[in-house]
Amino acid sequence: MDSVRTPDSGTAEPSETATPTAAASLGKKVRSAARWSLINTVVMRLGTFATGIVLARFALGPAEWGVYGIAQTVLLVLLSANELGVGLAIVRWEGDARRFAPTVLTLSVLSSGLLYVALFAAAPTVAGLLGSPDAAGVLRVMCLCVVIDGVAQVPANFLTREFAQGKRMIIDALNFLISTSVTLLLAFAGWGAMSFAVGAVAGNVVTLVGCALAAPGTLKFGWDPEQARALLRFGLPLAGASMLALAVVNVDTMVVGATLGNVALGFYVLAFNISGWPVRIISEAVRRVSFAGFSRLAESPQALAQGFSRALGVVVTATVPLCVLLAGLAGPAIELIYGSHWAPAAAALPWLMALGLIRIGSELAYDCLVAIGQRRSLFVVQGLWLVALIPVLLVGARTNGIVGASQAHVLVGGGVVVPVFLFALSRGGVGVGLIARACAWPFLGGAVMTAVILGLERPFGDGPFALLALSTIALAGYTLCVLPSRDFLRGVRSADRPQRGRHRSTAPVGPPNRT
């Protein structure tokens, strides 16, 4: 495992998990941050969900969603590496982060600015290659977010380092209010996909200002050549792996757009966005604290393995019922929520929900492997994923449209990527047995939910009350299946549970390892 050193210090400071008191303090910080992060993510995503319904039903059609999907894809790929990976040093490195933060800021802004200049010049070519020439202007506006994000990296990562998710919730709420208001006003004024771009820029400006105010004194430029070299050695492998990871989940948009056109892409983007609800609500909330939490446990392989398995158990337990419901009730749900003109999107949704579950597990594994210094392994995993995915996507899209593209994702993710991630985690000390234990009860519950939905969907029908009743019965069955795992998810050891008829000692047994 790579050692973690600051660029201004020859040795790393003692880990915060070195003493029981520090471990207890860390656990308290992580739990508090996780609660705030989950609340933040749920509230924001519910708002985004409602906004998407309004836009899809009353303002924008599949073609506009297709243009937006192309612009969003390019933006996400650029954001994955716009700061060359050096921003994570603020979170990961020990010592006084303010000593090297000015160099981080300079590198981040320079690289983000150069990326945007290149994108601005290449926008018409990129849009044409992706089968959407009309997206060039939207690309140029939306990708201004790359530069804004480059400036915001340092203060935002200081908030992550300090587990200040309460402040992030306020900032994200302001971002949502401004970006959503601008998008809705422009969409109903006839701006089409450009409304998304302008709204995104407005929201990112709010985030930059909010992070700068919440982490004062962090927007200072500076340059230290030795720090810069150390930061680039740390960050470039992460940036490469991150760009590959984003390419993996966005190359399908490029393939579908270039192969099937804007209208089919619009249906696919809607289905993909729906499949991302569990990913964004649950995985995003966890990832805001998981990397920092895993980093503090990285020096203790046993604590890291236990922490990762519990984090995975919590994430999978919360995600499986959402994935099963959206997959099993795809057709009725899409027609009820978005309208019958979006019905073609339903065919791809069940496969994309399976992909969503794979993405959640792989993203948590990604954070764990980064924390323990397995950056080269990540690069290999993501590169293999992308290389295997592109030809399968092309074949799937050409033979079976958006359904074939969705099936290709699941085939490569489940058949190639999951085994490789398991191997990489086992090399880092996280055994397959712990991972199987974390997933066993949720997967059993998911199978029970699937059986309930398949058995009762036809007798119940597809009306709103029928869907509610069916979902309630399926969720009740799932809850019964996952109850035996509650102690594991809470980090309670069997020896710690009070035994009937025995005296339970009040002596402390040491803080449980939590994420």
Side-chain angles (χ1 to χ4, degrees):
M1 182 178 69
D2 297 343
S3 60
V4 179
R5 299 171 184 267
T6 65
D8 50 88
S9 172
T11 59
E13 295 183 359
S15 169
E16 290 188 37
T17 59
T19 66
T21 301
S25 176
L26 173 63
K28 183 177 180 181
K29 284 183 179 179
V30 172
R31 288 191 295 273
S32 175
R35 283 193 295 269
W36 278 112
S37 182
L38 180 60
I39 294 169
N40 178 15
T41 307
V42 170
V43 171
M44 294 303 105
R45 293 309 171 190
L46 286 176
T48 303
F49 166 60
T51 304
I53 293 173
V54 172
L55 290 171
R57 289 187 73 98
F58 305 113
L60 303 175
E64 289 84 3
W65 278 92
V67 172
Y68 163 65
I70 290 292
Q72 184 187 45
T73 296
V74 175
L75 172 62
L76 289 175
V77 171
L78 294 181
L79 286 176
S80 68
N82 67 311
E83 37 74 72
L84 303 179
V86 298
L88 284 178
I90 300 291
V91 181
R92 181 69 177 94
W93 281 352
E94 297 175 8
D96 184 4
R98 290 180 182 267
R99 295 185 63 179
F100 56 88
T103 304
V104 173
L105 181 61
T106 301
L107 283 170
S108 179
V109 172
L110 281 174
S111 59
S112 298
L114 289 174
L115 266 180
Y116 179 73
V117 170
L119 182 279
F120 188 92
T125 302
V126 172
L129 289 174
L130 297 179
S132 184
D134 296 338
V138 178
L139 274 174
R140 285 172 166 167
V141 174
M142 183 173 281
C143 287
L144 283 169
C145 296
V146 171
V147 180
I148 301 168
D149 179 78
V151 180
Q153 279 292 316
V154 169
N157 280 310
F158 266 103
L159 296 180
T160 300
R161 179 185 178 96
E162 300 301 325
F163 299 99
Q165 293 302 318
K167 294 179 180 178
R168 280 304 303 263
M169 180 174 178
I170 296 173
I171 294 168
D172 290 346
L174 292 173
N175 177 328
F176 173 76
L177 289 173
I178 297 301
S179 63
T180 301
S181 299
V182 171
T183 300
L184 287 172
L185 286 173
L186 295 181
F188 282 100
W191 284 48
M194 184 63 76
S195 59
F196 287 110
V198 179
V201 171
N204 273 264
V205 170
V206 171
T207 294
L208 170 60
V209 174
C211 288
L213 293 175
T218 56
L219 285 181
K220 294 180 179 179
F221 289 91
W223 185 257
D224 183 305
E226 183 179 350
Q227 291 178 356
R229 286 192 292 271
L231 286 164
L232 289 172
R233 283 195 301 270
F234 170 84
L236 285 175
L238 295 181
S242 182
M243 179 173 284
L244 286 173
L246 264 295
V248 162
V249 295
N250 289 284
V251 69
D252 54 350
T253 301
M254 303 178 187
V255 170
V256 171
T259 305
L260 304 176
N262 275 356
V263 174
L265 177 60
F267 291 127
Y268 183 84
V269 168
L270 184 78
F272 194 91
N273 286 346
I274 294 172
S275 75
W277 291 346
V279 180
R280 290 191 293 268
I281 291 175
I282 297 169
S283 183
E284 184 177 309
V286 171
R287 296 191 78 194
R288 287 192 173 184
V289 297
S290 63
F291 177 68
F294 292 152
S295 296
R296 308 296 173 88
L297 297 173
E299 300 303 321
S300 173
Q302 183 178 1
L304 179 69
Q306 294 293 334
F308 176 82
S309 65
R310 271 198 298 276
L312 180 64
V314 170
V315 169
V316 173
T317 300
T319 305
V320 165
L322 295 176
C323 290
V324 173
L325 284 178
L326 288 170
L329 303 175
I334 286 180
E335 292 196 34
L336 178 65
I337 296 171
Y338 291 99
S340 57
H341 58 290
W342 288 99
L349 187 55
W351 297 98
L352 291 174
M353 294 314 307
L355 172 66
L357 194 58
I358 294 171
R359 286 173 59 194
I360 284 178
S362 65
E363 286 176 359
L364 197 66
Y366 180 100
D367 288 344
C368 182
L369 292 173
V370 172
I372 61 178
Q374 298 287 334
R375 296 189 290 277
R376 291 184 181 88
S377 296
L378 280 175
F379 197 82
V380 171
V381 172
Q382 301 295 350
L384 176 64
W385 195 345
L386 186 61
V387 169
L389 182 61
I390 291 175
V392 181
L393 274 175
L394 285 168
V395 172
R398 288 173 177 169
T399 57
N400 201 19
I402 63 174
V403 176
S406 307
Q407 293 168 334
H409 253 312
V410 176
L411 177 63
V412 174
V416 177
V417 179
V418 170
V420 175
F421 260 123
L422 290 175
F423 176 73
L425 286 170
S426 66
R427 290 185 59 196
V430 182
V432 175
L434 283 172
I435 295 173
R437 181 185 178 189
C439 298
W441 292 111
F443 283 0
L444 174 62
V448 170
M449 286 187 70
T450 302
V452 169
I453 292 172
L454 292 177
L456 298 180
E457 184 176 13
R458 180 170 293 179
F460 274 48
D462 56 3
F465 291 107
L467 293 179
L468 178 60
L470 185 55
S471 300
T472 302
I473 296 171
L475 287 172
Y478 180 79
T479 302
L480 290 175
C481 289
V482 299
L483 279 178
S485 66
R486 62 189 184 279
D487 286 341
F488 169 74
L489 299 178
R490 285 162 27 204
V492 177
R493 296 169 293 187
S494 58
D496 296 337
R497 283 178 294 188
Q499 300 295 319
R500 192 171 297 174
R502 296 184 182 179
H503 172 67
R504 184 181 183 186
S505 170
T506 58
V509 295
N513 296 318
R514 298 176 185 268
T515 58

